[in-house]
Amino acid sequence: MLTSNAPAAARRAKRPVKKGGIPLSAGMVLVTLGVVYGDIGTSPMYTLKAIMSGNGGLATMGEDVVLGALSLIIWTLTLITTVKYVLVAMKADNHNEGGIFALYSLVRRCGKWLIIPAMVGGAALLADGILTPAVTVTTAIEGLRTIDFFYGIIGGNQAIVVGITLAILCVLFAMQKAGTSTIGKAFGPIMTVWFLFLGITGLLNMGHDLNVFRALNPLRGIMFLLDHNLNAAGLMVLGNVFLCTTGAEALYSDMGHVGKPNIYVTWPFVKACLILNYLGQGAWIIANRGSGELAAVTDLNPFFQMVPEEFRVFAVILSTFAAIIASQALITGSYSIVSEAIRLDLMPHMKTNYPSETRGQIYIPLVNSFMWIGCMGVVLLFRSSEHMEAAYGLAITCTMLMTTVLLFTYLSRIRHKPAAAVVFLIFFGAVEFMFFFSSLTKFFHGGYVTVLLATVLFLIMYIWRRGTAIERTQSVYLPVRKYLDQLLDLSHDESYPLLADNLVFLTNDSSLDKLDRDILYSILDKRPKRARAYYFLNVQVTDEPYTHEYMVNTFDTDFVFKVQLRLGFRVNQRVNTYLYQVVADLVESNQLAPQNHRYSIYRKHGIVGDFRFCLIRKVLSPETDISGTDARTIEAKYFIRRLCGTPMRWYGLENSSVIFEYVPLFAKAKRQHKLTRIPLDSKAALAAPKKAEAKPSEGGSDSDDEDIFSAAMHNEREENATDAEKTLVGGDTASFKPLRIDEDDDDGEDDGEGSEEEELEYAAKAAEAESGRRGGDSAK
């Protein structure tokens, strides 16, 4: 029998259906300018400067060289950012969320191997997100030296620059808990002024030479790239050209924070200001390329030099703020990437806050702390922007290549446009591979740091996904109705002490009539737990901010209930409070007998009894039949899980009565040799014992064929499915996918070790089951 919170359901039915995503509005346009475009918006500060330095300095920048470099910049912005990301990638959204993991979630069924480019690209983007704030803020603070007043304070003391940079990063990361909406409203006006400044200064300097408009011809860029007489750096110049579009991937990832329509409206304005500024810098270089005085300036930057001297103080201070805001785009993008990775079970569940009324705007405290520490470490390691910039952009080229592979699959398999998909793959794959190849020269000059960070993040994803695939080989769900008679007898068996009036197990599966084998094993086999009523609680987070609903399956009993709480994403998930209301409703509707207590501090005794919550934890026991590599993978996964928190805090159970139970991960144990009893007076008793030869364990794999990790374990799961049908009452492997609202219970976090007695008890039970003690009654 299914019941629900009828009044709440009725109210929900009357609500108008809301369109997904964040709508277009003036306020969100301002937020978009403040959140999304910081990284790509600060690229004029260093792109042409880097190209000019790589070509030999100001004296080598002839007209054809300048026009060729400008053409490469303009068409890189157009092809990579506008065409690939704004026009193509942003249409491939997953419930209005963007980023490489959102894209993977759309194409994951098209090929098991697609999880690899998703993991590589996601790890590289997160690594670059750690590096970018350190690079941009340090570069901006060092730019203050171009002003006499600030140079008098800072001088050549790099320790002051490092100290100021660390202080700014601390303030920036501390602000994140306020939410991207609040930050965007603060940063939005500054970035609006910044882009207007870029456009205006570019227009003013274009008066020196209107011939810079010839850079709009793409042939200019191709000629510059291939002509070694013009381009001293050869193809390696693309590593510097690529700096103009490093924020494109962050733009796609931030789509869920600000909404697709707001990006569509603001990008033309942003791109126009960027191109005008680049053209203005080009015109200034052409007009001043013969100046011996300027050629002698160390680390000449045309971005600042083209600004009139009386406005240069304003330009440097404004660029400092813009560089700080550039870090915001990568930080918010990282939240989106990790959020999508959690949904795909590529990373552990982490506590997520929603500071605004819009679910797309999120804050993940653990990610914020990790990036905070990473950025501080990069600054302290390299100390100067010259060393940091060597690593800049290397990881993003890798991410862009992986995104191209996934977009090819999306266009060919989801949108059913194979011809367009092939053209897309060949063209953008070739362009981005050239960018990647040219960026490899940065590896030994600092790029190794980004590669190391990306490798660590990839290993975390690999361990988590592989570990999940191993665990799912033993996922067995049992029909609750098959065990109602035993639960009824146990609840009335006075030979066992009463553990609680209401015993609650947290579960993350989405079924209404099945349970994980380990929960029923905990109740019936592992020290039987007597209670007046048993509850199996699942929490589902909705897309609306303040949903308060529930659904319950009573199984036509008054002692077993499977409850699903439906809570809005801004609702504090203190399940003990809400479960008390559910139990009170069941009593009032006569579906549960009143749980009156004789003793109480209150004058009026309540009708709801006490609660105890049981959290299941899985551990590896010595008897577990698993290979050494898989065992190390599971141990690493449990270690990562411990670092990410506990559901006791997520669900507000710190002050509740909680039981932690540890069970072996696998019911299948290694084959044990049968002992032979010998008489006490036998000579054999005095002989030296011989070592028994252990038979090799039979390896196996998971059954879930969603990706290469689970597909590799298909045989193992098939074998366990057969065993479950033969040995368990109603045994069945998971015929549905658990609703991954909170992964902790299913992940089997290893928070401690079970006792040897408990492990042996579990292994003995499994051995009895294999011998056919209980008979088979499968439920498909």
Side-chain angles (χ1 to χ4, degrees), residues 38 60 93 102 115 171 195 246 316 422 550 557 642 725 735 737:
T60 65
D93 67 287
I115 193 172
V171 173
F195 286 116
T246 50
V316 173
V422 171
Y550 75 89
T557 72
R642 285 199 299 270
E725 292 177 2
S735 57
K737 184 175 181 180

Side-chain angles (χ1 to χ4, degrees), residues 195-244:
F195 286 116
L196 290 174
F197 169 78
L198 292 180
I200 293 171
T201 54
L203 277 172
L204 293 175
N205 281 274
M206 283 167 57
H208 294 296
D209 191 348
L210 294 177
N211 285 328
V212 291
F213 280 109
R214 289 187 294 168
L216 297 176
N217 183 356
L219 295 179
R220 289 275 182 180
I222 296 174
M223 291 173 56
F224 170 72
L225 187 62
L226 302 178
D227 191 342
H228 292 287
N229 295 323
L230 298 176
N231 174 24
L235 286 176
M236 297 302 103
V237 74
L238 291 176
N240 295 324
V241 171
F242 184 75
L243 296 176
C244 74

Side-chain angles (χ1 to χ4, degrees), residues 324-452:
I324 295 171
I325 295 171
S327 306
Q328 184 62 48
L330 271 298
I331 295 171
T332 54
S334 298
Y335 295 153
S336 297
I337 294 167
V338 172
S339 177
E340 285 294 328
I342 293 172
R343 294 179 192 177
L344 294 170
D345 205 14
L346 291 171
M347 283 188 172
H349 177 90
M350 303 177 202
K351 183 175 179 59
T352 301
N353 297 334
Y354 300 86
S356 73
E357 299 295 312
T358 304
R359 186 174 185 182
Q361 298 175 9
I362 61 177
Y363 165 68
I364 306 178
L366 187 61
V367 174
N368 191 67
S369 300
F370 180 77
M371 294 185 66
W372 192 341
I373 295 171
C375 288
M376 305 274 277
V378 168
V379 172
L380 293 173
L381 175 65
F382 289 108
R383 298 184 66 82
S384 69
S385 62
E386 181 182 357
H387 297 103
M388 295 182 205
E389 288 170 358
Y392 197 49
L394 175 60
I396 290 295
T397 56
C398 181
T399 301
M400 287 186 172
L401 277 169
M402 300 301 103
T403 301
T404 296
V405 172
L406 296 179
L407 281 174
F408 163 75
T409 306
Y410 172 78
L411 292 172
S412 60
R413 302 288 297 276
I414 306 299
R415 298 294 297 272
H416 304 291
K417 298 179 179 179
V422 171
V423 173
F424 179 89
L425 177 64
I426 293 174
F427 180 79
F428 284 102
V431 170
E432 290 166 353
F433 181 78
M434 287 192 295
F435 281 127
F436 175 73
F437 179 75
S438 63
S439 298
L440 284 177
T441 57
K442 301 179 177 182
F443 180 82
F444 293 107
H445 301 283
Y448 63 89
V449 173
T450 313
V451 174
L452 179 62

